[in-house]
Amino acid sequence: MSQVPTTSETATVVQGTGTGPRPAPDQPALEQSREPLLRRVAPGLSRGDLGPVPVIVALLIIGVVFQLANSNYLTPRNLFYLSLQAASLSMYALGAFIVLLMGEIDLSIGSVGGFTSAVLAILCTNDGWRGGWGIVAALALGAAIGAVQGLWVVVVRAPSFIVTLTGLLVWQGMQFLVLGVNGEVTINNPFVGDIASTQMSHTVGLSVAIVVALGFAAYTAAGYLLRRRGGYQQEGAAASVARAAVVAAAAIGVTVVLNQFLGVPTLLVMIVLVTAVFGVVTSSTPYGTHIYAVGGNAEAARRAGVRMGSLRVSVFVLVGMLAAVGGIIDASRGLAVTVNAGGGNTTLDAIAAAVIGGTSLFGGRGRASGALLGAFVIAAVANGLDLLGQSAAMETIVTGLILLAAVSIDVTSRRVRIGLPRSLRRGT
């Protein structure tokens, strides 16, 4: 994340004064001249931040490998169902992203999703609630659960690991109580069912893709101009143009491929929109800046005046709501909720997706878009192994190995950033 240099740092760089470390007198002039160039060409790389590059490369490799193993992998039909398969995990991963970004953890994500989806099923079936009000109730319940857990972390000062581990057990038990002896409730409400079963027409889907491409290009250009005017350290104009071009090509390309089957799922557009909103909130608002600051250095953020307690509670509230969204999506796809909803490896997969997408386990670094890409990595692997007839055990093993690789990259890049000169570490 880019930040404006502090007064003392600016004085050090411009006038050679201040408390920051100065280059050694005998440092080669060539090495000194390379640092500004490296910052201009690839500021993220100069700080050991590879951004979305590793996860995009991983997706390409996964696609090629499974296509060679099974020619049906990259067909429009399979990619259509893959996008639906990744939808709920994307929301769980987004929740894991924002809480890890703050330097905390939430192990109850899957249980909250399962419990809220069970409540949704009961409200839509037994009490005859309309689907819309049932969804509102599920979201409100997720927010309330997040608030309770966040307040416990702040007021009691208990580790979030323990509080949310307790939540995992409690909300899973509540889910069993709500579903009753049968352990399953069928959802007949068409409003809830349509969430995961509707697609856009080919024309509408292509129009939405073009709007997304133009919107991202405008957002990138505006951000570049504002950072340049404010004196922020940033990437070059060519890199910004390239990123906008890649997003445009991806949006239009995916739409064209999916239009060869049933069209673009409305659910896919929804998860991209939610991810975009969280991306803007975390990267372009004071609220997001505070989350990054607390995750990077909680004590420094506190001394800078960040309201730590309310920030932590609000983040756990968002995690609870995102978990509820994930549970709603699962309920819509299956048209039923069972005692297995949100269980198994759901929480671990969510955390793995966030880390695979570049979110640091140490806090203070990550992107919302990375969590989305990480979820698609896990879903792509699971989908490919299913096509090859592999067992669930193999899926778990492969996911674990991918997570290990992602954590290794995170630890290595963090070591690189710590070892860099202060002038290059600025902006992390």
Side-chain angles (χ1 to χ4, degrees):
M1 181 184 66
S2 299
Q3 297 177 348
V4 179
T6 62
T7 304
S8 62
E9 290 172 342
T10 304
T12 303
V13 174
V14 176
Q15 301 177 359
T17 61
T19 58
R22 305 177 184 176
D26 58 346
Q27 184 178 13
L30 178 60
E31 182 178 347
Q32 295 183 35
S33 67
R34 284 176 179 171
E35 292 184 3
L37 177 61
L38 187 58
R39 290 200 299 270
R40 291 196 302 269
V41 175
L45 182 60
S46 70
R47 299 190 301 266
D49 182 6
L50 300 178
V53 174
V55 68
I56 292 175
V57 171
L59 279 171
L60 293 175
I61 293 175
I62 290 170
V64 171
V65 169
F66 282 116
Q67 178 64 18
L68 292 175
N70 189 317
S71 59
N72 293 321
Y73 185 76
L74 294 181
T75 60
R77 177 188 178 89
N78 190 59
L79 293 178
F80 175 88
Y81 289 111
L82 172 59
S83 66
L84 296 178
Q85 186 177 346
S88 61
L89 179 57
S90 299
M91 295 297 96
Y92 290 128
L94 199 57
F97 149 75
I98 196 169
V99 73
L100 287 173
L101 192 63
M102 192 179 57
E104 302 286 352
I105 195 168
D106 192 334
L107 298 179
S108 67
I109 293 175
S111 295
V112 173
F115 176 42
T116 53
S117 65
V119 171
L120 168 66
I122 294 296
L123 291 178
C124 290
T125 303
N126 295 344
D127 294 343
W129 279 36
R130 292 184 178 180
W133 287 112
I135 290 174
V136 170
L139 293 174
L141 178 60
I145 291 173
V148 169
Q149 296 184 160
L151 284 170
W152 203 283
V153 170
V154 171
V155 176
V156 182
R157 297 185 180 181
S160 58
F161 178 91
I162 299 299
V163 173
T164 57
L165 178 60
T166 302
L168 181 154
L169 301 174
V170 170
W171 309 126
Q172 190 175 68
M174 292 294 293
Q175 177 183 348
F176 294 163
L177 290 176
V178 168
L179 294 177
V181 294
N182 294 327
E184 180 177 357
V185 174
T186 302
I187 298 177
N188 298 317
N189 189 284
F191 184 87
V192 176
D194 288 346
I195 294 175
S197 61
T198 57
Q199 302 85 38
M200 297 181 176
S201 68
H202 294 181
T203 302
V204 172
L206 189 58
S207 300
V208 170
I210 293 174
V211 169
V212 169
L214 294 177
F216 183 81
Y219 174 77
T220 301
Y224 175 83
L225 294 175
L226 287 174
R227 287 191 297 269
R228 182 177 181 181
R229 184 179 303 172
Y232 283 75
Q233 178 183 318
Q234 63 175 342
E235 63 189 2
S240 296
V241 171
R243 188 169 69 252
V246 168
V247 171
I252 296 175
V254 168
T255 302
V256 170
V257 171
L258 294 179
N259 279 348
Q260 296 178 31
F261 185 52
L262 297 179
V264 177
T266 305
L267 186 56
L268 177 61
V269 177
M270 186 194 79
I271 65 173
V272 170
L273 179 60
V274 173
T275 303
V277 169
F278 273 84
V280 172
V281 168
T282 53
S283 65
S284 304
T285 66
Y287 178 77
T289 301
H290 291 170
I291 294 176
Y292 276 101
V294 172
N297 191 323
E299 179 60 23
R302 184 188 65 79
R303 293 185 179 184
V306 175
R307 300 177 64 180
M308 307 282 288
S310 59
L311 183 70
R312 282 197 169 96
V313 173
S314 67
V315 167
F316 278 103
V317 168
L318 290 176
V319 175
M321 293 183 67
L322 287 168
V325 173
I328 292 168
I329 292 174
D330 279 335
S332 177
R333 288 192 63 212
L335 294 177
V337 177
T338 70
V339 292
N340 295 321
N345 293 331
T346 299
T347 297
L348 297 181
D349 283 346
I351 296 173
V355 175
I356 289 170
T359 304
S360 176
L361 287 170
F362 304 99
R365 188 166 60 89
R367 297 178 178 87
S369 58
L372 177 64
L373 292 173
F376 270 89
V377 167
I378 292 180
V381 170
N383 180 274
L385 291 176
D386 285 341
L387 285 179
L388 298 180
Q390 298 295 322
S391 64
M394 182 58 65
E395 293 180 13
T396 303
I397 292 172
V398 174
T399 301
L401 293 175
I402 294 175
L403 175 60
L404 178 62
V407 172
S408 300
I409 292 174
D410 177 34
V411 172
T412 302
S413 62
R414 183 171 186 266
R415 188 181 301 118
V416 169
R417 290 196 307 278
I418 292 175
L420 286 172
R422 182 189 180 107
S423 60
L424 284 182
R425 282 189 277 126
R426 210 176 297 136
T428 57

